[in-house]
Amino acid sequence: MKGGKGADGTKSAPGLRERSGTARPRMADVARIAGVSTATVSRALRQPELVSPEVRGKIAAAVEHLSYRPNLMAGALASARSKTIGVIIPSMINAFFSVTLEAIEEGLAGAGYQLLIGNSHYELETEERLITSMLAWSPAALVVTGCRHSRGAMRALLDTDVPIVEMWELTDNPIDTAIGFSQRDIGVAVARHFKERGARRLGFVGAMHQRDYRADARRAGFFETALSVGYEAPAEVQLPGLPTSVRGAKAFAELMSAHPDVDAVLCTNDIVALGALFEAQRLGWSVPERLKICGVGDVDFAAACEPGLSTVSLPRRAIGLKIAEVLRERIAGNLPTGGVHDLGFELVRRGST
Amino acid sequence: MKGGKGADGTKSAPGLRERSGTARPRMADVARIAGVSTATVSRALRQPELVSPEVRGKIAAAVEHLSYRPNLMAGALASARSKTIGVIIPSMINAFFSVTLEAIEEGLAGAGYQLLIGNSHYELETEERLITSMLAWSPAALVVTGCRHSRGAMRALLDTDVPIVEMWELTDNPIDTAIGFSQRDIGVAVARHFKERGARRLGFVGAMHQRDYRADARRAGFFETALSVGYEAPAEVQLPGLPTSVRGAKAFAELMSAHPDVDAVLCTNDIVALGALFEAQRLGWSVPERLKICGVGDVDFAAACEPGLSTVSLPRRAIGLKIAEVLRERIAGNLPTGGVHDLGFELVRRGST
DNA sequence: GATAGCGATGATAGCGGTTACATTTTCTCG
DNA sequence: CGAGAAAATGTAACCGCTATCATCGCTATC
């Protein structure tokens, strides 16, 4: 029964290491019952081909009988490697990262890996803390979001033998392996798209200006391209706080009232864009005729609204699967060298542009 | 520099346990430099008040100098407890669980805990596998979603001393602690709400009928209450596969074409409901006059669309914070006994009903 | 028939900490 | 000032498993 339930009055002296009635079986117990040494049990469990079928059978029976589960920490300590993958993302709420996370998990769970997840909250210092504390678990690999890190984090990442993957961004100079796409080029592509669609004056709704530097890269690409194809600098407004639809709607309204000549708006992500889209409808601007709206992310939802939201589809799932693939190779030792994998993105044109 | 980068031609024999140039410092190194025993170092690190300030200073200096990080696995093995919290959720993509996850993390990260996350994909067998493998890490606590488990999982959960929290659901008979709300009552509340609003004939759009039994409990509450307040059994359609907006729109259209008399629809969640809402607009049904639509979850987005989506707001964040709170107490040993915490939900009426 | 070769298994030293217990140092106070 | 208690530190036995190396039969080889 559950320990710790006070009702029985058993005051368990804190700190006293007591084995409750049925102790969790150890490998030694299995070995004893099967009549072999622990070394053989260990082998039978991790490299069965080294053990004779007969003994293997006895061990399996003992394991079954005791319902033995190896203590992974002991194993990890002894072998100096654990079946754990550390993943650091800047936000758990952001559905984009969740999809990537799920894909990593799918690609690796079968091989018995567990995901150790950390949330950096878009803060480089928090990321550094997480990196060092995750490395203290000797994970089989560590996945971080982005290619920009604090000095301390950089040192820790370069200094370890754990395979490192930087995701959701590209760089010429990866610590080890980078898997993602060019954030900047997204801005470029949308600006060009607006041009093609005949927009006259561009606008931009951003968020977390100083913290989310990936979003900032998109913005930079958008602004530079706008200028280079003949626009004046896009009108801009930044959301206070996290990007939500409600805030997006409000910010969009401000943008349009300050710059009524704007006729094409890029929003930092789809959530914001959808807020803007609805606000536009409420305000009576016809989309896409009078006003074009484009988001980033291609959330499930963008395809369902009316008009459909044009957006940039990101390889969120592909990133995760690729990470899993690379990591499997990497851990198996086949792929000693890192590299950069550009998974691209896709501008999905729907009704809103 | 990074190990494993092939360029230098160093073929590192696999399996050979080699220390790269600068070995990771061990506690013994710190002890030597500080001129004390490892026991003292260990104490200085985890119960500083037991060590004299002077020695503490020397140790801190040595730690700093070597940039020593304790090997958490060794510590966990020796102390039979790890600063790890296992959390099993049925889906990582589902934003609801993500919010709870983030809240758990927020409430616990400060205390140095790491989240070990598993995805059960709404499968009880997968959950069982995850439970046993997570328990093999001796986590400080284990959080599972829901109160229904396979026999094997149940046995494992009852048999361990690790504190267990069942979340997102209530039960009269928790394994240890349950923190959530009544799924069934949500269905009840929405049925009553429709009645109050004068609906004549109810409809229901569901998903994952056989897998997501929590959604099923909502459905049951809705159907039973519908009957008990005088409706005939709601017209129903089930989505094939995961609940998405696009599928929701389609299923909703089917429902309405098969049962044109339906004038109030409960959708299993907001994503589906929003698909339905837009489809309704496309089809020219006026909302809420001709047709009322209600979702579940209160996603950010539900407040932004036009008309606003009526929905049931779930205590997603509150659940996570409560879990963190209970766990902190629990781990500190103050709160030996479990219990059931009903965090309730709230029907949020917006324009769509 | 002695020897090498090979597969299967056992013995055992760690992995890097934690902690019960022993020991030493420092107070406290009659 | 010395005894006893309290505080600070050291000693060493684990935690439970992995991995190296030694050992033990047996068969293949000359």
Side-chain angles (χ1 to χ4, degrees):
Chain A
M1 288 284 113
K2 279 254 33 89
K5 286 238 185 97
D8 57 12
T10 317
K11 231 192 295 177
S12 56
L16 195 79
R17 203 185 299 176
E18 50 171 325
R19 292 211 161 274
S20 45
T22 33
R24 187 144 165 241
R26 297 180 300 289
M27 187 178 274
D29 300 324
V30 175
R32 190 159 17 78
I33 293 192
V36 297
S37 71
T38 62
T40 303
V41 176
S42 178
R43 272 188 296 257
L45 260 33
R46 36 189 41 256
Q47 308 177 76
E49 68 279 8
L50 294 184
V51 175
S52 70
E54 184 197 4
V55 172
R56 216 186 299 164
K58 277 195 277 189
I59 290 175
V63 165
E64 175 66 26
H65 175 236
L66 295 172
S67 59
Y68 166 75
R69 298 273 133 202
N71 179 322
L72 296 181
M73 273 178 332
L77 176 60
S79 65
R81 78 183 70 110
S82 79
K83 286 221 158 193
T84 283
I85 310 272
V87 184
I88 297 175
I89 53 180
S91 157
M92 313 190 102
I93 297 178
N94 188 317
F96 303 157
F97 300 119
S98 303
V99 172
T100 299
L101 221 48
E102 174 144 319
I104 296 176
E105 194 260 355
E106 266 181 54
L108 249 19
Y113 287 91
Q114 298 267 324
L115 258 39
L116 207 49
I117 305 213
N119 184 347
S120 74
H121 298 271
Y122 289 99
E123 292 155 6
L124 258 38
E125 318 83 73
T126 305
E127 187 195 52
E128 175 173 342
R129 255 201 11 248
L130 288 169
I131 287 172
T132 55
S133 80
M134 283 194 173
L135 286 177
W137 281 104
S138 334
L142 182 58
V143 179
V144 299
T145 306
C147 300
R148 195 177 294 182
H149 314 285
S150 68
R151 287 194 64 73
M154 209 66 180
R155 200 173 325 121
L157 292 173
L158 286 167
D159 205 43
T160 178
D161 281 340
V162 172
I164 306 293
V165 176
E166 296 168 281
M167 68 172 180
W168 275 83
E169 200 177 344
L170 299 177
T171 172
D172 293 333
N173 199 25
I175 295 177
D176 174 344
T177 303
I179 298 177
F181 53 89
S182 166
Q183 300 278 352
R184 193 178 169 288
D185 287 356
I186 288 177
V188 172
V190 175
R192 291 209 179 117
H193 174 64
F194 280 155
K195 183 73 179 181
E196 277 169 32
R197 303 293 303 149
R200 304 303 198 76
R201 171 84 159 99
L202 306 189
F204 179 79
V205 179
M208 303 211 292
H209 203 27
Q210 43 316 52
R211 297 170 70 198
D212 186 352
Y213 67 90
R214 277 178 296 282
D216 236 37
R218 296 196 291 269
R219 173 187 175 281
F222 183 66
F223 274 62
E224 286 166 25
T225 307
L227 294 175
S228 79
V229 298
Y231 288 111
E232 60 180 304
E236 175 176 11
V237 56
Q238 289 283 336
L239 299 198
L242 292 172
T244 67
S245 290
V246 175
R247 287 187 185 132
K250 188 144 165 288
F252 166 80
E254 282 166 26
L255 177 76
M256 293 308 291
S257 90
H259 306 274
D261 57 326
V262 166
D263 63 353
V265 176
L266 169 59
C267 295
T268 192
N269 68 33
D270 280 359
I271 304 299
V272 171
L274 287 163
L277 182 59
F278 291 123
E279 186 66 15
Q281 295 177 340
R282 268 189 289 268
L283 296 176
W285 308 79
S286 73
V287 177
E289 295 77 14
R290 169 60 185 84
L291 184 71
K292 301 178 202 318
I293 296 182
C294 184
V296 176
D298 197 16
V299 299
D300 156 57
F301 209 74
C305 58
E306 190 60 37
L309 178 70
S310 290
T311 184
V312 178
S313 174
L314 307 177
R316 337 172 249 188
R317 198 173 150 73
I319 290 177
L321 294 175
K322 187 72 183 176
I323 290 174
E325 180 194 328
V326 167
L327 253 30
R328 280 196 309 261
E329 295 276 353
R330 199 56 191 286
I331 293 166
N334 302 334
L335 191 65
T337 161
V340 176
H341 303 262
D342 185 350
L343 267 33
F345 57 83
E346 191 187 353
L347 183 62
V348 181
R349 190 182 151 222
R350 297 205 179 93
S352 72
T353 60
Chain B
M1 285 283 117
K2 280 269 5 111
K5 283 234 186 103
D8 57 11
T10 318
K11 233 194 293 178
S12 58
L16 196 78
R17 201 187 301 178
E18 47 172 326
R19 290 211 163 276
S20 45
T22 32
R24 187 144 167 240
R26 297 179 300 287
M27 187 177 275
D29 301 323
V30 175
R32 188 158 19 77
I33 292 192
V36 297
S37 71
T38 62
T40 303
V41 175
S42 178
R43 274 188 294 257
L45 261 32
R46 34 189 42 256
Q47 308 176 77
E49 68 279 7
L50 294 183
V51 175
S52 70
E54 184 198 4
V55 172
R56 217 185 300 164
K58 276 196 275 188
I59 290 175
V63 165
E64 176 65 24
H65 175 237
L66 294 173
S67 58
Y68 166 76
R69 300 271 132 203
N71 180 323
L72 296 181
M73 274 178 329
L77 175 59
S79 64
R81 76 182 71 111
S82 80
K83 287 219 157 194
T84 282
I85 310 273
V87 184
I88 298 175
I89 53 180
S91 157
M92 314 189 103
I93 296 178
N94 188 316
F96 303 158
F97 300 119
S98 304
V99 173
T100 299
L101 222 48
E102 175 145 318
I104 296 177
E105 196 259 354
E106 266 181 53
L108 250 20
Y113 288 91
Q114 298 269 319
L115 259 38
L116 206 50
I117 304 211
N119 184 347
S120 73
H121 298 272
Y122 290 98
E123 291 156 6
L124 257 37
E125 317 84 72
T126 306
E127 188 195 52
E128 176 174 344
R129 255 202 7 250
L130 288 168
I131 287 172
T132 55
S133 79
M134 282 192 172
L135 286 178
W137 280 105
S138 335
L142 183 57
V143 179
V144 300
T145 306
C147 299
R148 196 179 293 184
H149 313 284
S150 68
R151 287 195 63 74
M154 210 64 182
R155 200 173 324 123
L157 292 174
L158 286 168
D159 206 41
T160 178
D161 282 339
V162 173
I164 306 292
V165 176
E166 295 168 283
M167 67 171 179
W168 276 84
E169 201 177 341
L170 299 178
T171 173
D172 294 332
N173 198 24
I175 295 177
D176 175 343
T177 303
I179 298 177
F181 52 90
S182 166
Q183 299 279 351
R184 192 176 169 289
D185 287 355
I186 289 176
V188 172
V190 175
R192 291 207 180 119
H193 175 64
F194 280 154
K195 183 73 178 182
E196 277 169 31
R197 304 294 302 150
R200 303 302 199 75
R201 172 87 158 97
L202 306 189
F204 179 78
V205 179
M208 304 211 292
H209 203 27
Q210 42 320 51
R211 297 170 68 198
D212 185 353
Y213 68 91
R214 274 177 298 281
D216 237 37
R218 296 196 291 268
R219 174 187 174 281
F222 183 66
F223 275 62
E224 286 167 25
T225 306
L227 293 174
S228 79
V229 299
Y231 289 111
E232 61 179 306
E236 174 176 13
V237 56
Q238 289 282 336
L239 299 199
L242 293 172
T244 67
S245 291
V246 175
R247 285 186 185 132
K250 189 145 163 288
F252 166 79
E254 282 167 24
L255 176 75
M256 293 307 291
S257 90
H259 306 274
D261 56 328
V262 164
D263 63 354
V265 176
L266 169 60
C267 296
T268 193
N269 68 33
D270 280 359
I271 306 298
V272 171
L274 287 163
L277 182 58
F278 292 124
E279 186 66 14
Q281 295 177 339
R282 267 189 292 269
L283 296 175
W285 308 79
S286 72
V287 176
E289 294 76 15
R290 169 61 184 83
L291 184 71
K292 303 179 200 317
I293 296 181
C294 184
V296 176
D298 197 17
V299 299
D300 157 55
F301 207 70
C305 59
E306 191 60 38
L309 179 70
S310 289
T311 184
V312 177
S313 174
L314 308 177
R316 335 174 251 186
R317 198 174 151 72
I319 290 177
L321 295 176
K322 186 73 183 176
I323 290 174
E325 179 194 329
V326 167
L327 253 29
R328 280 196 310 262
E329 294 276 354
R330 200 55 192 286
I331 293 168
N334 303 335
L335 192 66
T337 161
V340 176
H341 303 261
D342 185 349
L343 267 32
F345 57 83
E346 191 187 353
L347 183 62
V348 180
R349 188 180 154 224
R350 297 205 180 91
S352 71
T353 57

